[in-house]
Amino acid sequence: MKFFIDTANLDQIKEAIDLGILDGVTTNPSLMAKEGITGDKNIIAHYKKICKIVEGDVSAEVIATDYKGMISEGERLADLADNIVVKIPMIKEGIKAISYFSEKGINTNCTLVFSAGQAILAAKAGATYLSPFVGRVDDISWDGIKLIEEIASIFSIQGYMTEILAASIRTPLHIVQAAKAGADIVTCPLSSILGLLYHPLTDIGLAKFLEDHHKANKG
Ligand code: E4P
């Protein structure tokens, strides 16, 4: 399973790169706004900065919701760097835009996916990535991980090439569950990635190893 980081924060992206485990980045309009990146020029400049430091794919979301608008915005984004993936919402016009980009060989990430039916349509349209939102499904007391399992099973039966990018990951446990459910990729905040590291027995064990070493090597 590949690891993407879900942020527009350059320091966090660099920290994940330093860990040596980062395969890509996803952003969305809320994450850009959170970093104070506003206005067309600044947003474009920020995507360029992210694409320069990241080797893997970087999802950049269109703001337009009409077909023509999504096409012109998506083409402009795709021209920014080779690793840009055009992120498109799961709406009727979005499916048309994904079909268009798929024919043109431009990578897409279909976002805001909450059902198996939506997943089938996006895969059929030729989306490169599909983003089911695990945490937001959990937020309304449904089961986000079950959705990943269901989509993974359908994609395997049907042989769809679209990669399942489990999104809206909120905890380290979500990452483990997404791996078991068959996600191809998880995109998550840095805190969830770092949360995978922690186990009290590791800390206790390391302290004991070092204590024993220092006792035996005194003087
Ligand atoms: C997906 O690509 C989105 O950027 C993101 O994962 C949404 O996460 P949230 O539900 O925590 O906002």
Side-chain angles (χ1 to χ4, degrees):
M1 187 171 73
K2 285 180 264 183
F3 273 63
F4 286 5
I5 190 166
D6 195 31
T7 185
N9 182 289
L10 295 178
D11 290 334
Q12 291 186 14
I13 293 171
K14 284 179 194 154
E15 195 173 334
I17 291 171
D18 282 349
L19 275 175
I21 52 89
L22 195 69
D23 299 301
V25 173
T26 53
T27 62
N28 65 39
S30 306
L31 292 170
M32 293 294 271
K34 190 175 162 197
E35 296 308 314
I37 317 292
T38 56
D40 212 36
K41 270 191 183 169
N42 292 332
I43 290 173
I44 292 291
H46 199 70
Y47 282 138
K48 282 187 180 166
K49 280 186 200 162
I50 297 176
C51 289
K52 250 194 182 166
I53 60 172
V54 175
E55 271 183 30
D57 283 348
V58 175
S59 288
E61 189 160 341
V62 296
I63 302 300
T65 54
D66 63 298
Y67 176 70
K68 276 192 176 166
M70 282 192 246
I71 298 303
S72 66
E73 214 184 314
E75 283 182 336
R76 191 166 162 230
L77 289 168
D79 277 347
L80 296 179
D82 287 345
N83 52 344
I84 281 277
V85 173
V86 183
K87 200 172 179 189
I88 296 177
M90 164 41 80
I91 54 176
K92 192 175 172 191
E93 300 288 286
I95 289 299
K96 278 166 69 179
I98 290 168
S99 303
Y100 171 88
F101 285 124
S102 165
E103 270 177 31
K104 287 235 153 191
I106 293 174
N107 289 336
T108 54
N109 174 357
C110 183
T111 188
L112 291 165
V113 171
F114 293 94
S115 77
Q118 291 178 324
I120 291 170
L121 205 52
K124 181 74 187 148
T128 316
Y129 298 112
L130 177 89
S131 292
F133 277 35
V134 173
R136 291 192 196 186
V137 172
D138 287 1
D139 286 344
I140 57 159
S141 76
W142 285 44
D143 190 335
I145 291 297
K146 274 235 168 75
L147 176 62
I148 302 290
E149 272 171 19
E150 194 183 4
I151 295 171
S153 150
I154 292 168
F155 280 20
S156 139
I157 291 166
Q158 296 298 330
Y160 289 139
M161 298 305 286
T162 300
E163 289 194 76
I164 302 168
L165 198 173
S168 187
I169 293 290
R170 305 269 175 77
T171 63
L173 182 58
H174 269 159
I175 299 176
V176 175
Q177 290 172 326
K180 282 160 80 174
D184 298 294
I185 307 141
V186 271
T187 188
C188 30
L190 182 64
S191 57
S192 298
I193 299 174
L194 296 178
L196 294 174
L197 285 167
Y198 182 68
H199 198 291
L201 291 180
T202 302
D203 296 344
I204 293 166
L206 182 60
K208 178 75 176 135
F209 284 156
L210 294 179
E211 185 191 326
D212 290 346
H213 171 83
H214 292 311
K215 262 191 215 156
N217 290 276
K218 251 195 282 177

Coordinates of all heavy atoms in Angstrom, one line a residue, residues 6 26-28 31 61 87 109 111 131 133 135-136 139 165 167-170 187, ligand 1:
D6 N -2.0 14.0 3.2 CA -3.2 14.8 2.8 C -3.0 16.2 3.5 O -3.5 16.5 4.5 CB -4.4 14.1 3.4 CG -5.7 14.6 2.9 OD1 -5.7 15.0 1.7 OD2 -6.7 14.5 3.6
T26 N -2.0 14.6 -1.5 CA -3.3 15.1 -1.9 C -3.6 16.4 -1.2 O -3.2 16.6 -0.1 CB -4.4 14.1 -1.6 OG1 -4.4 13.7 -0.2 CG2 -4.3 12.8 -2.4
T27 N -4.3 17.3 -2.0 CA -4.7 18.5 -1.4 C -6.2 18.7 -1.7 O -6.7 17.9 -2.5 CB -3.9 19.7 -2.0 OG1 -4.2 19.8 -3.4 CG2 -2.4 19.6 -1.8
N28 N -6.8 19.6 -1.1 CA -8.2 20.0 -1.5 C -8.3 21.5 -1.2 O -7.4 22.1 -0.5 CB -9.2 19.1 -0.8 CG -9.2 19.3 0.7 OD1 -9.1 20.4 1.2 ND2 -9.4 18.2 1.4
L31 N -7.8 22.4 2.5 CA -6.4 22.3 3.0 C -5.6 23.5 2.5 O -4.7 24.0 3.2 CB -5.8 21.0 2.5 CG -6.4 19.7 3.1 CD1 -5.9 18.5 2.4 CD2 -6.1 19.7 4.6
E61 N -7.0 20.0 -6.9 CA -8.5 19.9 -7.2 C -9.0 21.1 -8.0 O -8.6 22.3 -7.7 CB -9.2 19.9 -5.8 CG -10.7 19.6 -6.0 CD -11.3 19.0 -4.7 OE1 -10.6 18.5 -3.8 OE2 -12.5 19.1 -4.6
K87 N -7.8 16.6 -9.7 CA -8.8 16.0 -8.7 C -10.2 16.6 -9.1 O -10.3 17.8 -9.1 CB -8.4 16.4 -7.3 CG -9.0 15.6 -6.2 CD -8.3 15.9 -4.9 CE -8.9 15.1 -3.8 NZ -8.4 15.7 -2.5
N109 N -8.1 12.1 -10.2 CA -8.5 11.5 -8.9 C -9.9 11.9 -8.6 O -10.2 13.1 -8.5 CB -7.5 12.1 -7.8 CG -7.9 11.7 -6.4 OD1 -8.9 11.0 -6.2 ND2 -7.1 12.2 -5.4
T111 N -12.9 12.6 -6.5 CA -13.0 12.8 -5.0 C -14.4 12.9 -4.6 O -15.3 13.0 -5.4 CB -12.2 14.1 -4.7 OG1 -12.1 14.2 -3.2 CG2 -12.8 15.4 -5.3
S131 N -11.2 8.3 -4.6 CA -11.0 8.7 -3.2 C -12.3 8.5 -2.4 O -13.1 9.4 -2.3 CB -10.6 10.1 -3.1 OG -9.3 10.3 -3.5
F133 N -14.1 8.5 1.1 CA -13.8 9.3 2.3 C -14.2 8.5 3.6 O -15.3 8.6 4.0 CB -14.6 10.6 2.3 CG -13.9 11.7 1.5 CD1 -13.2 11.5 0.3 CD2 -14.0 13.1 1.9 CE1 -12.6 12.5 -0.4 CE2 -13.4 14.1 1.2 CZ -12.7 13.8 0.0
G135 N -13.3 8.7 6.9 CA -13.7 9.4 8.1 C -15.0 10.0 8.0 O -15.8 10.0 9.0
R136 N -15.3 10.6 6.9 CA -16.6 11.3 6.8 C -17.8 10.3 6.8 O -18.9 10.7 7.2 CB -16.6 12.2 5.5 CG -15.7 13.4 5.7 CD -15.9 14.4 4.6 NE -14.7 15.3 4.6 CZ -14.6 16.4 3.9 NH1 -15.6 16.8 3.1 NH2 -13.5 17.1 3.9
D139 N -18.2 9.5 10.3 CA -18.8 10.7 11.0 C -20.4 10.6 11.1 O -21.0 11.2 11.9 CB -18.5 12.0 10.3 CG -17.0 12.4 10.5 OD1 -16.4 11.9 11.4 OD2 -16.5 13.3 9.8
L165 N -7.9 5.0 -3.4 CA -7.1 5.9 -2.5 C -7.9 6.2 -1.3 O -8.8 7.1 -1.3 CB -6.8 7.1 -3.3 CG -5.7 8.1 -3.0 CD1 -5.5 9.1 -4.1 CD2 -5.9 8.8 -1.7
A167 N -9.3 7.9 1.6 CA -9.1 9.3 2.0 C -9.9 9.6 3.3 O -10.6 8.7 3.8 CB -9.5 10.2 0.9
S168 N -9.7 10.8 3.7 CA -10.4 11.2 5.0 C -10.0 10.2 6.1 O -10.8 9.7 6.9 CB -11.9 11.2 4.8 OG -12.6 11.7 5.9
I169 N -8.7 9.9 6.1 CA -8.2 9.0 7.1 C -7.9 9.9 8.4 O -7.3 10.9 8.2 CB -6.9 8.3 6.6 CG1 -7.2 7.4 5.4 CG2 -6.0 7.7 7.7 CD1 -7.9 6.1 5.8
R170 N -8.3 9.4 9.5 CA -8.2 10.3 10.7 C -7.3 9.7 11.8 O -6.9 10.4 12.7 CB -9.6 10.5 11.3 CG -10.7 11.0 10.3 CD -10.7 12.5 10.4 NE -11.6 13.1 9.3 CZ -12.9 13.1 9.4 NH1 -13.5 12.6 10.5 NH2 -13.7 13.6 8.5
T187 N -4.3 8.2 2.0 CA -3.8 9.6 2.1 C -4.3 10.1 3.5 O -5.4 9.9 3.9 CB -4.3 10.5 1.0 OG1 -3.6 11.7 1.2 CG2 -5.8 10.7 1.0
Ligands
E4P1 C1 -9.2 13.6 0.2 O1 -8.4 13.6 -0.7 C2 -9.4 14.8 1.1 O2 -8.4 15.7 0.8 C3 -9.3 14.5 2.6 O3 -8.8 13.2 2.8 C4 -10.5 14.8 3.3 O4 -10.3 14.5 4.7 P1 -11.2 15.1 5.9 O5 -12.6 14.4 5.8 O6 -10.5 14.8 7.1 O7 -11.4 16.6 5.6

